[in-house]
């Protein structure tokens, strides 16, 4: 693992989520695989939290999508401004995209971060295949990366299914991701697909059972969860 200092380059706010873009002080980015995470460390304290990387490995900076929950560490992150320094250590994590051509991605909220790293890699490397994304949020306005994902969908790179749990919007799904929604969009034969999921543990464990029922091989289901 590497440990190095980064500087906040740009901050974007979407509802209660902040997208932080930071560049390495020495100009050399940490090397990682799409889907991995790092420790973000508060300089001089040793305090840290793990966060998934949303940028692809080829970019010369790291990007994170972090929901500001009001906890001790997120409250610290919420005070950061452009030009501030922060320490990064990594990479970590066993969930890695390795160029597979048939993938189903599932994310809820900021669980989209590692999926974005994978999808951006697929787009950047022009990997052809069958790709599906099911992305759940409370409302459309809280959905990070909405426009970028819609552009990917319209370009035919990935079939994106947005679903909102607290509002009904024309042209989008409503409610939690479940068996009925998956079967509506996915092909009948899923034996050759790999599944990547990130969200609340309750969601990913429930969907793991459903994907196995639908024919996805157990060893092809990779996930990270919290809560």
């Amino acid at each position: 693992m590497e440990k190095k200092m980064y500087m906040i380059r740009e901050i974007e706010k979407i509802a209660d989520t902040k997208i932080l873009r930071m560049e390495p002080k020495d100009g050399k980015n940490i090397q990682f695989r799409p889907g991995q995470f790092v420790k973000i460390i508060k300089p001089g304290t040793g305090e840290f939290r793990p966060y998934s990387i949303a940028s692809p490995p080829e970019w010369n900076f790291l990007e994170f999508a972090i929901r500001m929950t009001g906890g001790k560490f997120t409250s610290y992150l919420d005070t950061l401004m452009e030009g501030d320094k922060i320490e990064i250590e990594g990479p970590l994590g066993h969930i890695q995209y390795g160029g597979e051509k048939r993938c189903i991605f599932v994310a809820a909220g900021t669980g989209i971060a590692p999926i974005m790293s994978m999808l951006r890699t697929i787009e950047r490397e022009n990997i052809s295949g069958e790709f599906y994304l099911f992305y759940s949020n409370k409302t459309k306005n809280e959905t990070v990366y909405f426009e970028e994902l819609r552009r990917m969908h319209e370009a035919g790179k990935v079939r994106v299914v947005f679903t909102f749990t607290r509002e009904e919007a024309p042209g989008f799904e409503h409610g939690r991701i479940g068996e009925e929604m998956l079967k509506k969009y996915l092909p009948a034969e899923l034996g050759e697909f790999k599944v990547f999921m990130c969200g609340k543990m309750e969601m990913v464990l429930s969907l793991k059972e459903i994907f196995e029922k639908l024919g996805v091989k157990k060893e092809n289901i990779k996930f990270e969860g919290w809560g």
Side-chain angles (χ1 to χ4, degrees):
M1 288 195 301
E2 297 180 78
K3 182 188 285 189
K4 57 174 57 185
M5 295 299 295
Y6 276 70
M7 183 176 73
I8 305 296
R9 188 175 88 176
E10 189 177 354
I11 300 172
E12 181 182 348
K13 195 171 189 303
I14 300 169
D16 60 359
T17 296
K18 281 189 175 180
I19 295 175
L20 302 176
R21 301 180 181 96
M22 52 188 76
E23 55 190 12
K25 290 288 290 179
D26 63 2
K28 297 178 182 178
N29 213 3
I30 282 178
Q31 300 300 300
F32 65 95
R33 298 290 298 275
Q36 289 190 291
F37 64 91
V38 295
K39 295 177 182 177
I40 294 183
I41 305 167
K42 184 177 180 180
T45 68
E47 294 179 52
F48 73 90
R49 293 291 186 276
Y51 291 104
S52 294
I53 304 167
S55 46
E58 295 80 8
W59 289 4
N60 64 352
F61 61 91
L62 296 180
E63 180 174 296
F64 303 91
I66 302 173
R67 184 167 175 260
M68 298 299 152
T69 60
K72 180 181 177 183
F73 201 81
T74 52
S75 293
Y76 155 68
L77 294 177
D78 204 16
T79 67
L80 292 176
M81 302 176 67
E82 294 177 10
D84 286 346
K85 297 179 180 64
I86 199 161
E87 199 169 15
I88 299 289
E89 183 178 9
L92 297 157
H94 65 283
I95 296 181
Q96 303 174 24
Y97 174 72
E100 294 87 351
K101 296 180 182 298
R102 287 183 170 180
C103 299
I104 302 164
F105 304 100
V106 180
T110 53
I112 193 63
I115 306 300
M116 287 305 299
S117 182
M118 298 179 194
L119 291 175
R120 284 165 163 170
T121 296
I122 289 168
E123 182 178 53
R124 184 181 179 89
E125 297 182 5
N126 198 27
I127 298 172
S128 297
E130 289 184 74
F131 303 107
Y132 298 85
L133 168 64
F134 295 84
Y135 185 21
S136 173
N137 284 276
K138 294 175 183 176
T139 66
K140 182 180 175 183
N141 287 340
E142 295 176 67
T143 303
V144 293
Y145 302 117
F146 178 83
E147 293 299 338
E148 184 176 353
L149 289 169
R150 188 164 66 172
R151 177 183 55 75
M152 288 184 185
H153 173 85
E154 291 173 349
K157 181 55 67 178
V158 56
R159 176 70 185 271
V160 181
V161 179
F162 294 102
T163 184
F164 309 123
T165 58
R166 294 192 181 177
E167 75 171 359
E168 294 188 39
F172 301 98
E173 289 290 340
H174 174 67
R176 296 178 182 274
I177 302 166
E179 183 175 353
E180 183 178 340
M181 189 182 299
L182 295 174
K183 289 170 73 173
K184 179 177 176 180
Y185 293 96
L186 294 175
E189 177 53 56
L190 299 178
E192 300 304 315
F193 278 83
K194 191 161 186 178
V195 174
F196 296 95
M197 297 189 287
C198 189
K200 287 188 177 180
M201 190 61 75
E202 178 185 5
M203 179 194 81
V204 296
L205 290 179
S206 172
L207 288 173
K208 178 179 181 291
E209 292 184 6
I210 292 172
F211 277 118
E212 288 180 21
K213 177 183 174 182
L214 294 178
V216 179
K217 298 170 186 174
K218 185 179 296 187
E219 63 270 22
N220 284 344
I221 303 174
K222 307 295 181 182
F223 62 88
E224 284 182 350
W226 63 79

